[in-house]
Amino acid sequence: AQSVTQPDIHITVSEGASLELRCNYSYGATPYLFWYVQSPGQGLQLLLKYFSGDTLVQGIKGFEAEFKRSQSSFNLRKPSVHWSDAAEYFCSCRSNFGNEKLTFGTGTRLTIIP
Amino acid sequence: DTEVTQTPKHLVMGMTNKKSLKCEQHMGHRAMYWYKQKAKKPPELMFVYSYEKLSINESVPSRFSPECPNSSLLNLHLHALQPEDSALYLCASSPRGTSGYNEQFFGPGTRLTVL
């Protein structure tokens, strides 16, 4: 069974600093990978996705993520965070065949300090 | 129209009430999903409809009853709920069914409180 690990429960970053949120997956083949962001009491917004091809993917709001097969990782990065980036971030994966469900990590809560 | 809408935004119900949650998308997506999310947890899948047919039921109690009247609309009928069913209920849709190059788009959710 596939699984997703987000080792950081909570991260605090100063506004304007760079950000990296970690995500590791466990799956026999290359899965489809996603990052979602959720503000308090809101739904999930898709930041970016990886299906195949270029391992560095660009998303919305200035985020990017890099798929590293050798490390089974799909870390999310942003060069300079804004106060509005404070939210919960979920990494997720799905198998690349069949009607498999989305597996979510436990989430990383991002706090931005001025 | 490029979004998933959910109504109502908030719902408070007693344990003997019957209520329904509604989800709509007009993007021509062919799969729709119901998730339940408790505070500080990731979403948990409840049901999946693919091409208007129920394809996944994650062993959800029968007090939750999904319905997909057409390809744009998904309902979740609630009856005799328990206080532990209080949560944020999220609807999602994906363009090309449930397999292949497909991402899920989420609605804003319905905050349900069961008294």
Side-chain angles (χ1 to χ4, degrees):
Chain A
Q2 59 201 24
S3 66
V4 177
T5 301
Q6 293 179 250
D8 303 306
I9 295 173
H10 184 204
I11 284 184
T12 300
V13 176
S14 296
E15 189 168 15
S18 63
L19 171 71
E20 181 169 32
L21 301 183
R22 295 182 291 163
C23 173
N24 292 94
Y25 66 89
S26 173
Y27 183 60
T30 300
Y32 298 145
L33 296 159
F34 310 87
W35 274 101
Y36 287 91
V37 62
Q38 184 177 33
S39 297
Q42 301 298 311
L44 278 69
Q45 183 180 24
L46 181 66
L47 285 176
L48 43 77
K49 60 186 184 278
Y50 174 78
F51 290 140
S52 66
D54 193 346
T55 56
L56 184 64
V57 293
Q58 302 297 319
I60 62 171
K61 304 186 179 192
F63 285 94
E64 68 177 26
E66 186 171 12
F67 169 61
K68 292 186 177 180
R69 185 193 308 274
S70 61
Q71 298 176 22
S72 297
S73 69
F74 188 56
N75 294 348
L76 182 71
R77 299 194 294 249
K78 186 169 184 177
S80 176
V81 297
H82 186 262
W83 65 265
S84 59
D85 293 324
E88 189 84 21
Y89 290 80
F90 290 100
C91 180
S92 62
C93 76
R94 185 170 63 78
S95 77
N96 58 4
F97 67 93
N99 297 322
E100 297 290 333
K101 62 182 184 180
L102 207 53
T103 297
F104 286 92
T106 50
T108 297
R109 182 161 61 95
L110 176 64
T111 297
I112 308 294
I113 54 177
Chain B
D1 193 345
T2 57
E3 62 178 5
V4 177
T5 59
Q6 290 187 243
T7 53
K9 288 189 176 179
H10 302 275
L11 179 63
V12 180
M13 60 186 291
M15 289 190 285
T16 58
N17 292 156
K18 284 186 181 180
K19 296 286 185 183
S20 297
L21 309 184
K22 181 180 171 182
C23 173
E24 239 176 325
Q25 56 86 14
H26 296 288
M27 298 177 281
H29 289 186
R30 303 318 306 266
M32 296 184 77
Y33 310 75
W34 279 117
Y35 287 86
K36 173 183 177 180
Q37 186 180 27
K38 300 287 273 186
K40 301 187 187 302
K41 297 288 187 183
E44 298 172 18
L45 183 66
M46 300 174 72
F47 303 103
V48 182
Y49 275 81
S50 181
Y51 293 87
E52 301 168 50
K53 291 189 177 355
L54 183 65
S55 62
I56 295 178
N57 176 342
E58 290 285 291
S59 302
V60 178
S62 60
R63 57 186 184 268
F64 296 91
S65 175
E67 178 196 20
C68 187
N70 59 59
S71 60
S72 300
L73 186 56
L74 184 66
N75 297 320
L76 185 64
H77 302 298
L78 314 173
H79 174 54
L81 294 194
Q82 304 297 308
E84 59 265 28
D85 296 322
S86 298
L88 182 68
Y89 287 82
L90 295 163
C91 175
S93 67
S94 56
R96 293 166 288 279
T98 56
S99 59
Y101 291 173
N102 238 337
E103 60 270 52
Q104 292 182 27
F105 297 89
F106 284 79
T110 294
R111 173 70 61 190
L112 174 67
T113 302
V114 182
L115 302 176

